[in-house]
Amino acid sequence: MPPYDRLPSAGVGKRTEAIALAAAPSTNGRPPMVTDDPGTRTAAAGPSRRTWTTLALLAVLLVVAGAGAGFGIGTLLPKQYAARADVLYLLTREQPTGFLREDRNLSTQLVLLTSRTVLGPVSAGSGVPVEDLAESLQASVLEESEVISIEFRDADPDRATRVLDAIVTRYLAVSNNDERSDVRGYLETELATVLDRIEAARTDSALGAELSPLVDREQQLRSRLDELSISDLAGPGARVLVPPYADVDPVSPRPLVAAATGALTALLVAALGLLLVVRRQFRPSGGSGRDHDTAPDSRRA
């Protein structure tokens, strides 16, 4: 065969080989990757059913372990019992002028309950530090009422009742000791002095100009004494509505609540771990981009 008959065939072969090399993905001189490998297909499609089953079992075991740990901790913690009492504080004695005055009076009573004026003598009698008494004592006003609910917690229900009874007794003594007797004594003494001066002004013409102011002063003093008398008829401002008593069941710890908290925490941890595993499984490979970027250099080489 003449040489010029073989030249076109050789040129066509070289062009076909160049086109094939350009169309094939670059492997930097390495053999092309086989894409029919089962492991490669599984990784691209995501976790298998066996992987999902394993992750689900691990999540369930983690939740059960968290619930068991919470229940165990709740069972081992020392029990706390609550002693309760209700005190009625009559706002009618204070003659409130509006809701703001009522709220202020009741808030003052709550502050008084937890003050050292009340807790100091109780601490001296019970041997419990004032700070511990204040930490274990809770007081609140029932909604839209004049009732103050008091609660004291202790590991011994009987001791909790005794301490709360001492707190309530001391509070009543301080709250109802508003020095009204001293005020009444002062008003009565002042009224007697004014009456004497009125009598002297009526007999001495030189003191006639003082008679009218003295009479006004007399009326003011009598009006104030009448207010005190009405308040005394209403009784003390604070009185015991429900005597101190202790709950039969402990208020803390609560094992079921602790178990639910542990299970919820474990569930959150399991969900976070599952999210990280799935994200790692579906993360694209970083080598393909670098291979495509170096393809032109390999072709030029």
Side-chain angles (χ1 to χ4, degrees), residues 55 269-283:
L55 292 176
V269 173
L272 180 59
L274 182 61
L275 179 62
L276 294 177
V277 171
V278 173
R279 185 177 179 181
R280 184 176 182 180
Q281 288 287 338
F282 282 101
R283 181 180 300 173

Side-chain angles (χ1 to χ4, degrees), residues 176-241:
N176 294 326
N177 183 22
D178 53 6
E179 300 180 355
R180 289 179 181 266
S181 58
D182 297 337
V183 174
R184 177 180 292 277
Y186 167 76
L187 293 176
E188 291 176 348
T189 302
E190 187 69 14
L191 179 59
T193 303
V194 170
L195 291 177
D196 293 340
R197 294 179 62 183
I198 289 175
E199 185 66 24
R202 287 175 178 174
T203 57
D204 189 354
S205 58
L207 301 176
E210 300 179 1
L211 182 59
S212 180
L214 289 173
V215 172
D216 294 339
R217 177 61 175 168
E218 177 192 3
Q219 297 301 323
Q220 293 176 0
L221 294 173
R222 292 187 182 275
S223 177
R224 183 58 179 155
L225 286 171
D226 291 340
E227 292 177 2
L228 289 177
S229 299
I230 294 174
S231 298
D232 292 339
L233 290 176
R239 64 182 67 175
V240 176
L241 186 63

Side-chain angles (χ1 to χ4, degrees), residues 84-159:
R84 309 178 191 274
D86 292 336
V87 173
L88 176 64
Y89 184 80
L90 297 175
L91 291 171
T92 53
R93 183 184 181 189
E94 301 296 331
Q95 299 178 355
T97 57
F99 294 106
L100 180 60
R101 173 75 176 275
E102 295 178 9
D103 181 71
R104 185 186 306 170
N105 288 337
L106 292 174
S107 299
T108 302
Q109 300 306 309
L110 296 180
V111 173
L112 179 62
L113 264 168
T114 56
S115 65
R116 285 185 173 270
T117 304
V118 173
L119 299 182
V122 177
S123 173
S126 61
V128 182
V130 176
E131 292 77 11
D132 294 344
L133 291 176
E135 183 178 356
S136 302
L137 182 65
Q138 297 180 1
S140 60
V141 178
L142 300 183
E143 186 177 0
E144 297 181 359
S145 70
E146 300 176 356
V147 177
I148 301 176
S149 178
I150 310 173
E151 177 184 308
F152 183 81
R153 296 188 178 186
D154 192 84
D156 186 359
D158 295 333
R159 183 171 57 186

